[in-house]
Amino acid sequence: MPAIAQTMPENASAKSYGDGWQCNVGYRLTEESCAAIVVPENAYATNRTYGSGWECHHGFRKVDEVACVAVIVPDGGFLDSSGERWRCLRGFLKINDTCQEVVLPENAYLADGSAWECGRGFEKTDDSCSAITVPINGYLNGSRYGQPWSCERGYFEQDGLCGAVVIPEFAYFDDASYGEGWKCQRGYEASGAGCEAINVPANAHLDRSGNRWECNRNFQKSKGLCVLKN
């Protein structure tokens, strides 16, 4: 303690743990002495033994760790919760140090922040919204990606139009997104643009799909027939 007392500067005190000393609250180490913390205008003392010892008031920000300057909020903006920065209001876009109002094209609406989307039945074309051309027997599908329209049931897309599905004899309509739009009935198989009856050989039966045949148990396919396994 005598050695500490000789080397300890004014406005300092012994550490509560370990050896040595530290500056008191409201002072900071400058070379070998403890100098009083100067709290600039528009700031307040933090009463901590670490850091700068002061912070700027809400609505001000530090400059070069020596001063607090007011945060200038432009028209169309607001001071964020930190009190040190500003952001643009919904419907405004930050450009340099300003907030410029988003100009909505005709048939558009404000979606999120400063982004806009075209209304139903319209799609983005550069900086405008153009009407979506839906072919006869088609409808708007509401998809945000890919083609915005689909063909009605019973029609399929072909060259940008919706053509009627022609269902051959012994077939039925199939609304799968792939294929011809129809499938053959059970016991028939597709052949060109129609359905032909399946010739089921002896010792065989229609498979689960009903459009092919397979051999019975203990038989195997050989040249279009079902022969007994060896």
Side-chain angles (χ1 to χ4, degrees):
M1 286 301 294
I4 294 174
Q6 290 176 0
T7 58
M8 184 186 303
E10 190 177 357
N11 301 311
S13 56
K15 289 183 178 180
S16 59
Y17 58 90
D19 299 326
W21 53 267
Q22 63 184 7
C23 293
N24 295 334
V25 171
Y27 294 84
R28 286 293 180 270
L29 181 64
T30 303
E31 295 180 351
E32 295 299 322
S33 63
C34 291
I37 294 172
V38 178
V39 180
E41 189 177 2
N42 300 311
Y44 62 94
T46 61
N47 295 323
R48 301 190 186 103
T49 58
Y50 57 88
S52 63
W54 57 269
E55 293 291 342
C56 294
H57 287 306
H58 191 82
F60 294 82
R61 60 182 178 82
K62 281 187 178 181
V63 176
D64 299 329
E65 296 294 324
V66 296
C68 292
V69 298
V71 178
I72 307 300
V73 181
D75 292 339
F78 66 96
L79 194 66
D80 72 7
S81 59
S82 72
E84 300 175 354
R85 296 177 296 275
W86 58 268
R87 299 169 60 186
C88 291
L89 293 167
R90 173 178 166 82
F92 289 82
L93 181 65
K94 184 176 182 180
I95 299 178
N96 298 324
D97 293 327
T98 65
C99 288
Q100 295 190 13
E101 188 172 4
V102 176
V103 178
L104 294 177
E106 191 175 0
N107 301 309
Y109 64 93
L110 198 61
D112 182 23
S114 59
W116 57 267
E117 298 289 344
C118 293
R120 179 174 172 80
F122 295 85
E123 60 185 350
K124 281 189 177 181
T125 304
D126 297 326
D127 293 326
S128 62
C129 292
S130 56
I132 297 171
T133 302
V134 180
I136 298 173
N137 300 313
Y139 64 94
L140 290 170
N141 56 29
S143 174
R144 298 185 62 181
Y145 308 99
Q147 186 166 273
W149 57 267
S150 301
C151 292
E152 299 281 0
R153 179 178 172 84
Y155 295 83
F156 67 99
E157 182 190 349
Q158 186 176 25
D159 300 327
L161 301 175
C162 290
V165 176
V166 178
I167 303 176
E169 191 177 9
F170 307 117
Y172 61 92
F173 176 74
D174 176 44
D175 59 0
S177 59
Y178 54 88
E180 301 294 331
W182 53 267
K183 285 186 175 180
C184 292
Q185 297 175 5
R186 183 174 178 83
Y188 293 83
E189 61 183 350
S191 177
C195 295
E196 290 185 352
I198 298 173
N199 183 21
V200 182
N203 303 309
H205 61 273
L206 291 174
D207 68 4
R208 188 172 183 179
S209 72
N211 302 124
R212 291 182 299 272
W213 59 267
E214 59 187 12
C215 292
N216 297 339
R217 293 178 183 175
N218 205 35
F219 288 83
Q220 63 184 11
K221 277 187 178 182
S222 176
K223 298 180 181 180
L225 300 175
C226 289
V227 297
L228 191 66
K229 291 181 179 179
N230 294 329

